[in-house]
Amino acid sequence: HFNKATGKKISLANPPSKNYPGDGAFTLVNGIQNTAGLAKSAEFLGFLGTDLDATIDLGTAEDISRIKLHVLDQNGSWIYLPKEVTVTYIPDKDYTADEFATFPSETVKIDPEKDKGLKIISIEKKQNCRYLHIVAKNFGTIPSGNPGAGNAAWLFVDEIEIN
């Protein structure tokens, strides 16, 4: 599934767990969408108790209208949707993390009950940018009454699409 992110340079602020490293950061922009869930876990990056914090360099400024984040929601296996996803649109210029607040961004909050079973988180906003900074906040501690209660939740991310 080719899109504007396919094969682009990507970096992660937090490495994935050694248990679910996929093919490193490139797993998120390799164009392969996992439709088999945990049966094909090598196509996921797993983050135990930490956030996905990725920056994609498109190479040149591009018009963007939609970002899709492919995730897994399988609470019985301690895998939860993120609490929220924030995309920051960074122009074609050198920047520092201190400047992030000055760039346009969009946040989608996830409701664990209403959005249960969600596989694609979509953020629609028209922007022109070269870099996209994407943060998916880990669910946190698994609530009581659920498998794995009291432990850190897993966040599994499969692919980032940019159109």
Side-chain angles (χ1 to χ4, degrees):
H1 299 281
F2 289 97
N3 61 80
K4 291 180 180 183
T6 306
K8 299 299 184 191
K9 182 179 175 186
I10 182 169
S11 60
L12 298 175
N14 304 320
S17 165
K18 292 177 182 167
N19 295 345
Y20 297 99
D23 286 326
F26 188 72
T27 302
L28 301 176
V29 293
N30 66 5
I32 301 170
Q33 295 175 10
N34 184 347
T35 57
L38 282 179
K40 198 170 180 188
S41 63
E43 280 302 319
F44 282 107
L45 293 188
F47 298 88
L48 181 58
T50 59
D51 303 333
L52 165 72
D53 186 335
T55 302
I56 299 173
D57 180 354
L58 299 175
T60 60
E62 299 261 357
D63 287 328
I64 304 298
S65 60
R66 180 182 310 142
I67 290 94
K68 291 181 181 179
L69 185 70
H70 295 249
V71 295
L72 184 63
D73 184 25
Q74 196 167 319
N75 298 170
S77 299
W78 304 14
I79 303 167
Y80 282 74
L81 294 172
K83 286 184 194 178
E84 66 182 35
V85 176
T86 300
V87 175
T88 303
Y89 304 86
I90 304 166
D92 189 1
K93 70 178 214 86
D94 291 330
Y95 65 92
T96 65
D98 294 336
E99 293 179 276
F100 278 9
T102 66
F103 299 129
S105 66
E106 191 73 22
T107 299
V108 171
K109 298 207 181 282
I110 309 300
D111 180 324
E113 293 305 315
K114 185 180 120 219
D115 297 323
K116 193 155 193 64
L118 186 72
K119 294 185 172 136
I120 298 174
I121 299 166
S122 187
I123 297 175
E124 298 191 30
K125 182 173 183 148
K126 292 183 184 219
Q127 289 290 321
N128 183 278
C129 62
R130 174 176 172 178
Y131 304 95
L132 289 122
H133 182 238
I134 301 164
V135 176
K137 292 279 188 194
N138 188 289
F139 180 84
T141 304
I142 299 171
S144 62
N146 293 288
N151 291 292
W154 282 96
L155 169 64
F156 271 39
V157 183
D158 161 28
E159 188 76 10
I160 298 171
E161 284 183 78
I162 300 172
N163 296 300

